[in-house]
Structure formats: C-alpha cells, structure tokens
C-alpha cells in the first residue's frame, strides 16, 4: 500500500466508528411514530428520547459467510430510540449533482501535502434523494442484513445494530395523528445528535387507514415530495416558540431526485479538520478551534452535537424548524409523513415517519 493510501486509511478508520455511534437524528414535529402521546416533542436535548420496545425480532435466516451455510437464529433487541432508524452504507448511483455551494463537508486534505480527496462524492447528500434505501421510515439500527453483511452478531462497531425491523412493520401504540389542512402551510421540525451534514426533505404517502402502515414505500413518498415555504427557517431551543432564532435557509431543487424535489441544507456547520476530529466528535470541547465547515448561520450555532467523551449525550438542545406547503390537489384522508435526511459525512440516510389526517381547509 502506498504512503498516500495509508494516510487516507488513517482518516477513514475513525469515520467507520462515527457512522455507527449512538442515535443521530429524528423528526420531532409533527410527533413521530415512536413519541407515544406526543410526550417528547421538541423538548430541549430530548430529540432522541422517544423509543419503541419491539422485543424479539423472531426467527431470522442469514448466510454464514465463513461456512457458506444458512443459519436460523433469534435476535433480541429491547428498544429502538427514535434517532436510530436509518439506512446504513447507501451510496448514490452516479457522480455528484449537488451545487458545490451547498456542500457541508469539505474534501479531505492529505496531511503534509496540498492534495485533497473527495471522499463524499457518492455519499447521499451529493445527489439528494438518489441513494437507495430499504425503508422510507427507517430500519432499526440501520443494518437489516448485518454489519458486515451476513455477520452473526447484532452489535455494530461503536453502536447501532443489525437485523432490526423496518419501522413500518411495527405494531405501535398511542402514536399521535396530527391534522393538516389541504392547501395550507404546516410547520415541521427535527433534531439531531450527530452532525453528519447534508440536507433533508419531507414527503407524503396516502394510506387507506393507520392500521396498514406496512404498505408505505419509498416509491410512494417519491410521488409527493413537499415544497418548503420561504427563504427563512428557525432554530428553536426547547418547546418554547418564543425561544427561536430566525436564520436564512439554503434550499435547492437542482440535481435532486425525484427531479425538482425540494431539499434544504442542514444549516448548522460541523467543525473543520475532519481528518483529526471527525467534524468535532473527537474534540474535547465544542469550540471548533480549527473553524467550521461553512459559516455559522448565527453566533454559537456550530459543532458536531456529541463527542467521544460522552457518546449519546447531546450538545444540541434545539430543533430545526421549517414551513412546508400542503398540496391543494390531493384528497382528504390519512397520510404518512416521511422525513429523509441524506448525510454528507457518512453513507447514511436517516428517516422518521408520522401519522397525519389531511382535512379540507376551512372556507
């Protein structure tokens, strides 16, 4: 292996740990499927507190990559945090289509050289919406086929787990159903624990009733991506609407999939020097002493969100708030809202879903 490749591998190894550290992000408004009775909502620093107990997954067959034999076993996974539903190791099918001005992680600079590596070129945010996912509402632990694929263990390096269920097949109790008006404007929000950069979108899928959620699919959501409203968004601390900071939103419909779908860049920058600190995860404090990946939208809004000294404990006590337009030409009834966050630092897509009832707007 050349010296150049050894230096690149030294950089990539910490990222393997970062990709699977404890839960990373979830929709918090409207209340997601796991937030029973809406008890967590937008409470400060609690964006990952909602969870579901799905107990025994039941019998599972997998290919033992050492023996080549099919093995039937049972896995027991007690709970799934609302921030642990994602699709891991997913890549775009083609070179980047994103406007470079919307990037959130810079190229890796090989130490002691002026050479760079565009290590995120095939990561989801570089071509928003094009990376294939197993579930539009997330897979528990992010690795439905094992990590690595076919491995016996349910645990993954640094956190996460294998063989978790798709969120849409769970039998959930006391999930909140929120009402939106057809043709109106609705408020949405999400929170994160680990700043993988990238951007996000919200999508709708119509269902016959809320007892048949296993019928939703990524293809259904791709038929109804929602339009963001306005060129501003807000950082809200806790659940007090008076404690908001308005910031400029960076949105795009160029180079997205489905074509013309509306996406918004994650507005808070991680720290610079990713080859040393992984966006700030390996830093002992939140100062971003080497600077940030892009300019802060407001003073103090920067960082990774969690650090190696206390993995799972968040430095972010805020949510990212946007307005979306509810289409005028759709039928009243039950819908599922899917939040999709395409990362740039890691090859991951994070998802959460919520129940909606769409009603005709009052005259």
């Amino acid at each position: 292996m050349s010296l150049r490749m050894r230096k690149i591998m030294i950089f990539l190894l910490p990222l393997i740990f970062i990709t699977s550290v404890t839960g990373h992000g979830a929709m918090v408004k409207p209340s997601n499927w796991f937030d029973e009775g809406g008890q967590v909502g937008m409470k400060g620093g609690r964006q990952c507190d909602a969870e579901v107990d799905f107990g025994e997954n039941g019998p599972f067959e997998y290919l033992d990559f050492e023996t080549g034999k099919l093995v039937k076993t049972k896995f027991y996974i007690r709970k799934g945090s609302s921030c642990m539903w994602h699709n891991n190791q997913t890549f775009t099918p083609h070179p980047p289509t994103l406007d470079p001005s919307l990037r959130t992680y810079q190229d890796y600079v090989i130490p002691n050289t002026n050479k760079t590596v565009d290590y995120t070129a095939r990561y989801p945010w570089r071509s928003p919406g094009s990376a294939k996912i197993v579930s539009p509402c997330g897979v528990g632990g992010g690795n439905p086929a094992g990590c690595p694929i076919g491995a016996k263990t349910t645990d993954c390096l640094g956190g996460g787990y294998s063989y978790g269920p798709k969120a849409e097949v769970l039998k959930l109790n006391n999930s909140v159903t929120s009402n939106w008006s057809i043709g109106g404007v609705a408020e949405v929000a999400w929170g994160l624990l680990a700043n993988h950069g990238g951007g996000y979108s919200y999508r709708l899928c119509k269902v016959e009733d809320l007892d048949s959620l296993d019928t939703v699919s990524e293809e259904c959501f791709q038929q109804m991506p929602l339009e963001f409203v306005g060129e501003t968004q807000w950082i809200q601390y806790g659940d007090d609407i008076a404690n908001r900071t308005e910031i400029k939103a960076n949105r795009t419909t160029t180079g997205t999939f489905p074509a013309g779908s509306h996406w918004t860049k994650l507005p808070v920058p991680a720290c610079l020097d990713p080859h040393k600190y992984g966006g700030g995860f390996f830093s002992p404090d939140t100062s971003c002493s080497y600077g940030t990946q892009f300019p802060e939208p407001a003073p103090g809004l920067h960082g990774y969100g969690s650090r190696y000294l206390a993995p799972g404990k968040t430095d972010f006590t805020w949510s990212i708030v946007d307005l979306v337009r509810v289409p005028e030409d759709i039928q009243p009834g039950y819908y599922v809202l899917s939040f999709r966050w395409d990362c740039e630092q890691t090859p991951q897509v994070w998802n959460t879903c919520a129940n909606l009832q769409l009603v005709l707007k009052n005259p």
Side-chain angles (χ1 to χ4, degrees), residues 114-264:
N114 59 359
K115 297 180 180 179
T116 61
V117 177
D118 185 3
Y119 72 98
T120 74
R122 291 297 179 94
Y123 287 7
W125 177 237
R126 298 297 297 278
S127 297
S130 68
K132 291 188 179 300
I133 58 178
V134 175
S135 165
C137 299
V139 175
N143 301 276
C147 54
I149 292 175
K152 298 178 183 179
T153 180
T154 61
D155 296 323
C156 300
L157 178 65
Y161 48 86
S162 297
Y163 308 115
K166 298 178 183 179
E168 59 268 29
V169 306
L170 297 175
K171 300 301 181 184
L172 300 167
N173 298 316
N174 203 25
S175 295
V176 173
T177 300
S178 301
N179 291 329
W180 282 7
S181 295
I182 293 174
V185 171
E187 189 171 274
V188 291
W190 69 288
L192 64 158
L193 178 68
N195 189 349
H196 296 319
Y200 55 95
S201 71
Y202 293 90
R203 306 89 55 77
L204 288 177
C205 175
K206 194 174 190 311
V207 293
E208 290 300 316
D209 56 63
L210 298 179
D211 294 322
S212 56
L213 299 177
D214 58 344
T215 62
V216 300
S217 66
E218 178 65 8
E219 291 73 22
C220 180
F221 286 110
Q222 288 174 352
Q223 298 301 311
M224 211 181 308
L226 296 181
E227 174 191 352
F228 288 99
V229 176
E231 298 303 318
T232 57
Q233 56 185 164
W234 299 266
I235 300 295
Q236 178 171 318
Y237 293 84
D239 53 10
D240 182 3
I241 194 172
N243 196 2
R244 283 186 173 182
T245 300
E246 182 178 297
I247 60 175
K248 182 183 184 300
N250 290 283
R251 314 197 195 276
T252 187
T253 57
T254 302
T256 60
F257 182 84
S261 57
H262 214 181
W263 293 71
T264 296

Side-chain angles (χ1 to χ4, degrees), residues 20-166:
S20 53
V21 89
T22 310
H24 299 193
M27 173 169 54
V28 294
K29 184 177 184 180
S31 295
N32 65 57
W33 282 350
F34 313 115
D35 188 3
E36 292 190 5
Q39 298 180 50
V40 176
M42 296 174 67
K43 291 182 172 63
R46 296 187 58 190
Q47 55 267 42
C48 297
D49 280 10
E51 59 185 7
V52 60
D53 188 343
F54 48 83
E56 179 185 337
N57 276 353
F60 188 89
E61 281 191 346
Y62 69 91
L63 179 66
D64 187 324
F65 60 88
E66 292 179 341
T67 66
K69 297 180 179 179
L70 280 175
V71 179
K72 181 175 286 189
T73 186
K74 289 186 177 181
F75 296 102
Y76 298 85
I77 303 173
R78 188 175 64 85
K79 289 185 181 291
S81 160
S82 58
C83 288
M84 279 304 296
W85 298 84
H86 63 293
N87 293 258
N88 203 15
Q89 297 301 315
T90 181
F91 302 88
T92 65
H94 44 62
T97 57
L98 183 76
D99 184 327
S101 69
L102 294 173
R103 290 193 59 184
T104 54
Y105 268 83
Q106 305 307 311
D107 289 354
Y108 167 61
V109 179
I110 301 173
N112 303 316
T113 76
N114 59 359
K115 297 180 180 179
T116 61
V117 177
D118 185 3
Y119 72 98
T120 74
R122 291 297 179 94
Y123 287 7
W125 177 237
R126 298 297 297 278
S127 297
S130 68
K132 291 188 179 300
I133 58 178
V134 175
S135 165
C137 299
V139 175
N143 301 276
C147 54
I149 292 175
K152 298 178 183 179
T153 180
T154 61
D155 296 323
C156 300
L157 178 65
Y161 48 86
S162 297
Y163 308 115
K166 298 178 183 179

Side-chain angles (χ1 to χ4, degrees), residues 1-16 108-111 113 115-119 123 274-275:
M1 182 183 292
S2 69
L3 177 61
R4 180 175 183 269
M5 285 305 300
R6 286 200 296 270
K7 289 179 178 179
I8 293 173
M9 287 304 297
I10 289 171
F11 161 65
L12 291 177
L13 284 173
L15 284 184
I16 294 172
Y108 167 61
V109 179
I110 301 173
T113 76
K115 297 180 180 179
T116 61
V117 177
D118 185 3
Y119 72 98
Y123 287 7
H275 67 276

